[in-house]
Amino acid sequence: MKPEEVIPGLRALIVKDLVERHGFSRKEVAEILGITPPAVTLYLQGKRAGDVAKLLRRKGALKLVREFTDHVVERGGKISMPALYDLAFSVIPLIEHKVTMGREEESLIDLRRNEAQRLLQLLRERFEIEQKSAEKFMRIASRLRNQALRMLIRMIARDCVKHADVMMLLMSVVESGGEMRIDLPDIELLDKLLSEEKSFHVHGLNEIKKMLPHKILTLLVDCIADDEKKHERILKNLVNYARISEQRESVS
């Protein structure tokens, strides 16, 4: 599920919470969210994003929304679009997790049942850890005033969201029997991507770091460097995997 699909429903829940629980007027809520008072009315009446709001409420997202609005009320000001995206990223794993976890265990066909159940248990536990961590870091980030520090904490939160997504994918594969067809890109394309990724490393990140005025800012640049190393490692492994697969096909 994409953030753009979730945000209208989040707005509906935020509007309702600000009006009913915090006692804001419709005009005040419109100013906080950067929308018109008639739009606030439509959200309250369930005529805008009502179905998405019901889904979010049913999946347990209301607690996160209330914590979000509490922070908004506490610090004052308006709700920015990046803040809504952050909230959406926190909610999406919760929604998709509920769907994944509802599947019947009879779908475990090829893996031995006991091992598969144990693996699913471990994956679920890790999923919940990553989800809770993402929520915690998002809450912390929302309270920070310094933009650089807030971005660093949000990056950690987004990594936790990505980790939760990985756990969901692994659960899906295990529940479907452990089989997965992989269609790799052409080796030449992978080699080209790998060469381009290596070339990025020489574009002056160290020089940029030396010129920055604060250690927190250099940490942000370090994150870029770490990501580039990770991308190179992933592409190298894909190239090797593609070559091994190609050799096997030629032999057979």
Side-chain angles (χ1 to χ4, degrees), residues 179-239:
E179 293 187 358
M180 183 174 65
R181 178 178 175 81
I182 299 176
D183 296 317
L184 286 169
D186 184 75
I187 293 181
E188 291 183 2
L189 175 59
L190 289 173
D191 276 326
K192 182 180 178 181
L193 292 173
L194 179 57
S195 298
E196 290 176 352
E197 189 64 36
K198 288 180 178 179
S199 70
F200 295 157
H201 297 179
V202 299
H203 286 302
L205 286 181
N206 287 332
E207 185 177 357
I208 290 173
K209 285 174 60 177
K210 291 177 182 178
M211 299 174 68
L212 290 173
H214 199 284
K215 178 65 176 176
I216 293 296
L217 300 177
T218 64
L219 287 176
L220 288 169
V221 178
D222 283 337
C223 290
I224 297 174
D226 290 341
D227 281 346
E228 288 182 348
K229 291 177 183 177
K230 179 179 66 178
H231 299 163
E232 182 179 346
R233 185 175 67 252
I234 291 171
L235 288 169
K236 279 183 178 179
N237 288 332
L238 285 175
V239 168

Side-chain angles (χ1 to χ4, degrees), residues 36 92 105 115 126 147 229:
T36 64
I92 288 170
E105 289 187 349
E115 290 183 358
R126 184 55 187 255
Q147 290 183 345
K229 291 177 183 177

Side-chain angles (χ1 to χ4, degrees), residues 22 38 46 53 121 141 147 152 155 162 168 185:
H22 290 284
Q121 179 185 351
Q147 290 183 345
L152 278 171
M155 289 168 73
K162 287 188 290 185
M168 286 175 54

